[in-house]
Amino acid sequence: MNDLTQCVLTPAVPTEGFTPLGIGTHRASTIVFKDAAAYASRGERGHEGYSYGLYGTPTTRTLEAKLTNLEEGAWTFLTPSGQAANALAVLPFLAAGDHILIADTAYPPMRDLAETDLRRLGVEVEFFDPRSPDDVASRMRPTTRIVWCESPGSTTMEILDLPRIAAIAHEHGALVGVDNTWATPLNFKPLAHGADIVTEALTKFVSGHSDVLMGSITVRDDSLIKPIRSLIGRMGIGVSPDDASLVLRGFETLGVRLRHSERVALDFARRIEGHPLVTQVLHPALESFPDHAVWKRDFLGSSGVFSIVFTPEASAHVAASLDALKVFAIGASWGGTRSLAAPMSITGFRSATDWSGPDIILRLSIGLEDEGELWEDVTRLLAFLDDKCSDTASDTSLKTARHG
């Protein structure tokens, strides 16, 4: 064989006896076939076969299989981000004239997709009170195709009674989808509680290192595989095997990371709850949380993300208070090794429910730093707010005295 040909062709080497703990990173666009007949019948390989790199390699299939097992589903698809997973989970099942019900506390980009793109495509969009299965029942229509849930709700942490909502949706012939990013499949298994589709932003807890974007869609039964797979193929959406290998690596420590963050976050939540400038700590594992009983019934644990509602006086200074932090980073994502703090706006992202608290609340994500130093950081932030509120009160008293 000519040297030039040998440069291009890769010799097959035996792999028997080579059993590493880590899965190899299989990069591929073209996948070759042993003969003409195999190529001609490639369409018969189905969703489990290999035909083109876009539809999977052994690396991505390994991650899909791990997720499928943990979610207790039939099949998993990988997507470039968590929001891509949400979008691709609903689009195959909606057409002009159809109706979708979405939890009022859903992830804001999902809400934006519905309000902007689904409406543009002729889909009727409606939002429901996540704490009221009766509200779901009252809004169901003959054209309702999907009830989209997120539990806990984005930022404000409402827990849905998923079994009841799923029963109502199924009675009307609708599918149920759940964004399960906060809990991960270690803390909640939506498919086991009646959901048909579950999505995860693997970007967050599962990858766990804030260096990769990826999402997943896991379906409950085989009938949902082809519609999603076909749309993903038509849109040319795939994920990098290199990114999948990073998620697989992060996956191995998910259990210990999640349990650490859960413990520290709940401890902090309980300590913060008694502060005079705090009106409520939004954490489902707190006994004081309105949906605690439902969380305790259905969930296997909690995570490291929770939110703090301050008094109106303190809330006005939350954004500025972030500059007092020395260990927490300021960032909008969560679930990585680094603890994060982010002020979140609520009012503009509710329509079926009323948010009675201040517009801005503070969301914390607990990472893996020393918990004593993290608590000192929280103490600095609370002290900053104390000082600002005291200054405001002093200014108000002074103005009153001058005009008295």
Side-chain angles (χ1 to χ4, degrees):
M1 189 179 291
N2 186 279
D3 286 354
L4 292 179
T5 303
Q6 289 192 67
C7 284
V8 176
L9 272 62
T10 301
V13 299
T15 58
E16 184 180 351
F18 179 73
T19 310
L21 289 174
I23 182 70
T25 303
H26 297 269
R27 303 180 186 93
S29 55
T30 297
I31 294 170
V32 297
F33 300 81
K34 65 178 182 179
D35 53 37
Y39 180 76
S41 62
R42 65 191 184 281
E44 299 171 12
R45 293 185 172 189
H47 62 275
E48 295 186 8
Y50 296 106
S51 59
Y52 189 62
L54 185 69
Y55 299 107
T57 72
T59 309
T60 57
R61 289 289 169 80
T62 301
L63 178 54
E64 290 168 351
K66 183 171 284 196
L67 285 160
T68 300
N69 291 336
L70 283 169
E71 302 279 17
E72 300 179 1
W75 190 260
T76 295
F77 300 93
L78 301 178
T79 64
S81 69
Q83 175 54 19
N86 293 340
L88 291 165
V90 301
L91 284 170
F93 307 104
L94 294 169
D98 288 342
H99 176 241
I100 182 172
L101 271 177
I102 302 174
D104 204 35
T105 51
Y107 183 46
M110 186 61 174
R111 188 184 190 97
D112 192 24
L113 172 81
E115 295 277 29
T116 304
D117 298 293
L118 296 185
R119 287 195 192 280
R120 176 175 53 82
L121 295 173
V123 176
E124 296 184 79
V125 175
E126 197 172 2
F127 297 90
F128 67 88
D129 181 347
R131 286 184 164 134
S132 175
D134 290 340
D135 190 42
V136 175
S138 71
R139 296 175 188 270
M140 295 297 296
R141 308 178 190 174
T143 55
T144 305
R145 300 289 174 257
I146 300 174
V147 176
W148 186 259
C149 305
E150 184 173 339
S151 188
S154 185
T155 306
T156 46
M157 302 291 171
E158 294 85 350
I159 301 293
L160 283 71
D161 189 339
L162 185 59
R164 285 188 61 196
I165 290 173
I168 292 165
H170 292 157
E171 184 181 347
H172 290 79
L175 295 171
V176 176
V178 179
D179 182 337
N180 193 48
T181 302
W182 180 89
T184 82
L186 297 191
N187 283 333
F188 188 47
K189 300 186 185 294
L191 301 183
H193 288 82
D196 302 287
I197 303 168
V198 58
T199 62
E200 308 277 356
L202 305 177
T203 304
K204 296 181 167 65
F205 279 118
V206 177
S207 68
H209 292 79
S210 306
D211 58 0
V212 63
L213 291 165
M214 195 171 294
S216 65
I217 307 167
T218 304
V219 296
R220 186 177 186 176
D221 61 64
D222 292 347
S223 67
L224 302 176
I225 294 174
K226 186 176 180 180
I228 296 174
R229 185 177 188 272
S230 298
L231 179 64
I232 287 175
R234 291 194 299 272
M235 298 187 75
I237 292 171
V239 302
S240 160
D242 295 86
D243 288 346
S245 70
L246 288 175
V247 178
L248 281 165
R249 177 180 286 188
F251 222 140
E252 294 187 14
T253 60
L254 173 62
V256 291
R257 288 187 287 105
L258 199 59
R259 291 297 162 246
H260 173 83
S261 296
E262 173 186 37
R263 179 183 62 78
V264 177
L266 186 54
D267 176 52
F268 283 14
R270 287 186 170 130
R271 293 159 76 176
I272 293 168
E273 196 174 23
H275 194 279
L277 292 180
V278 174
T279 60
Q280 189 180 12
V281 175
L282 304 176
H283 192 311
L286 285 175
E287 292 78 3
S288 59
F289 191 74
D291 308 320
H292 176 72
V294 180
W295 170 82
K296 191 172 183 179
R297 182 194 71 189
D298 293 346
F299 283 67
L300 303 170
S302 62
S303 78
V305 178
F306 66 98
S307 301
I308 307 166
V309 183
F310 293 96
T311 63
E313 295 77 18
S315 179
H317 306 289
V318 165
S321 73
L322 300 184
D323 290 338
L325 298 171
K326 296 181 179 180
V327 183
F328 279 86
I330 304 169
S333 192
W334 39 270
T337 59
R338 186 72 185 273
S339 295
L340 296 173
M344 307 297 293
S345 176
I346 304 300
T347 307
F349 301 102
R350 301 289 184 270
S351 58
T353 57
D354 293 321
W355 172 250
S356 59
D359 177 44
I360 299 296
I361 65 178
L362 182 65
R363 187 180 68 195
L364 298 181
S365 172
I366 303 300
L368 302 184
E369 304 92 342
D370 178 79
E371 59 190 278
E373 292 182 340
L374 285 175
W375 181 250
E376 288 174 4
D377 230 18
V378 172
T379 302
R380 275 189 287 270
L381 183 145
L382 294 172
F384 177 94
L385 292 174
D386 262 330
D387 290 342
K388 286 295 182 181
C389 290
S390 296
D391 291 344
T392 301
S394 297
D395 290 345
T396 302
S397 297
L398 183 60
K399 289 177 182 178
T400 301
R402 285 174 176 171
H403 293 88

